[in-house]
Amino acid sequence: GGALENNNKLFYENSAAFQEHFAGTFCSENNYAKANICKLIGAARAKCTQHFGTALIRGAGCNWMVCLAIWLQMIATEPISKFIMIWLPIELFISSGFDHLVVNEFLIPGGIIVGGSYIDSRVNFYNAFWNNFIPVTIGSVIGAWFLVFPFWLVNKDGWEAKLKREAEAAGAPAEKLTEA
C-alpha cells in the first residue's frame, strides 16, 4: 500500500479498517490534528484536476509576477526597498492563485504521499504531469515571451545606455560593448 497506509497500521487493527476510515470522513470531521494533511491533499487535488487552459494561464501569470519582482528589485537602491519590491509581486501571485512549477512539484507529490489518491483517485502522478506540470511550464514560457519580453524590448535601450556610461567612466571604449 501507500506510505500513509503503512504508517497508520499502527493506529488501526487492519488495512480494511484504515481504508474505511480514510475513504469516509478523514478530511471532513473536526479532527484538527489532520488539518495540515487535509490542506495538502486538497491542494494536490485542486492542481491535479484543473483544466489544462487554467493551468496555462496561471503559469503565465506566475512568471509575469516573478519577473516583475526581479525588475522591481533592480530598480530599488536600498536593501529594505529591494526586499519589499521582491515581496510584493510574489505575495500577489500567491494570493492570486497562480501556479509556480517548483511549488507544484512539492505540493502535488506531498499530497500523493500522504494519501491523496485514497480520497480522490485523480490525485496521481499522471494527472500531475498532464494537468499541471506540462501546462504550467508552457504557461511560463508564454508568460516570458508575451508578457515579459515586450517590456524588456521597451526598456533595453536604457539598460544599454547605462552599460555605455559605466564603460566610459571606467575608461573602456563604449563601441566594443555594442558591437558584440
Side-chain angles (χ1 to χ4, degrees), residues 163-174 176:
L163 287 178
K164 285 181 185 177
R165 281 193 313 272
E166 289 174 354
E168 289 171 355
K176 293 195 178 198

Side-chain angles (χ1 to χ4, degrees), residues 37-135:
I37 291 175
C38 292
K39 286 181 182 180
L40 187 58
I41 291 171
R45 181 188 324 170
K47 292 178 182 298
C48 283
T49 58
Q50 70 184 349
H51 189 267
F52 190 92
T54 303
L56 197 97
I57 292 169
R58 288 179 176 177
C62 174
N63 191 328
W64 189 28
M65 290 294 120
V66 170
C67 290
L68 182 64
I70 292 168
W71 286 342
L72 288 174
Q73 72 85 23
M74 287 170 44
I75 294 169
T77 56
E78 297 180 15
I80 190 68
S81 303
K82 288 183 179 288
F83 172 77
I84 292 170
M85 292 299 111
I86 292 170
W87 178 77
L88 286 172
I90 291 176
E91 182 63 31
L92 179 63
F93 98 71
I94 291 170
S95 63
S96 298
F98 291 142
D99 278 351
H100 192 274
L101 181 64
V102 177
V103 174
N104 292 348
E105 287 174 344
F106 168 77
L107 285 176
I108 295 172
I112 293 170
I113 287 169
V114 297
S117 58
Y118 290 118
I119 290 180
D120 190 343
S121 63
R122 298 173 296 175
V123 180
N124 55 47
F125 285 107
Y126 177 82
N127 285 341
F129 276 98
W130 289 110
N131 293 342
N132 195 281
F133 296 165
I134 291 173

Side-chain angles (χ1 to χ4, degrees), residues 154-171:
V154 168
N155 293 310
K156 75 179 176 72
D157 293 332
W159 180 70
E160 289 174 351
K162 177 185 171 222
L163 287 178
K164 285 181 185 177
R165 281 193 313 272
E166 289 174 354
E168 289 171 355

Side-chain angles (χ1 to χ4, degrees), residues 6 13 25 79 87 140 145:
N6 291 331
E13 315 145 356
T25 60
W87 178 77
S140 291
W145 278 102

Side-chain angles (χ1 to χ4, degrees), residues 12 21 25-38:
Y12 296 95
H21 181 250
T25 60
F26 183 77
C27 283
S28 60
E29 61 188 28
N30 291 328
N31 189 345
Y32 297 108
K34 301 173 187 170
N36 288 334
I37 291 175
C38 292

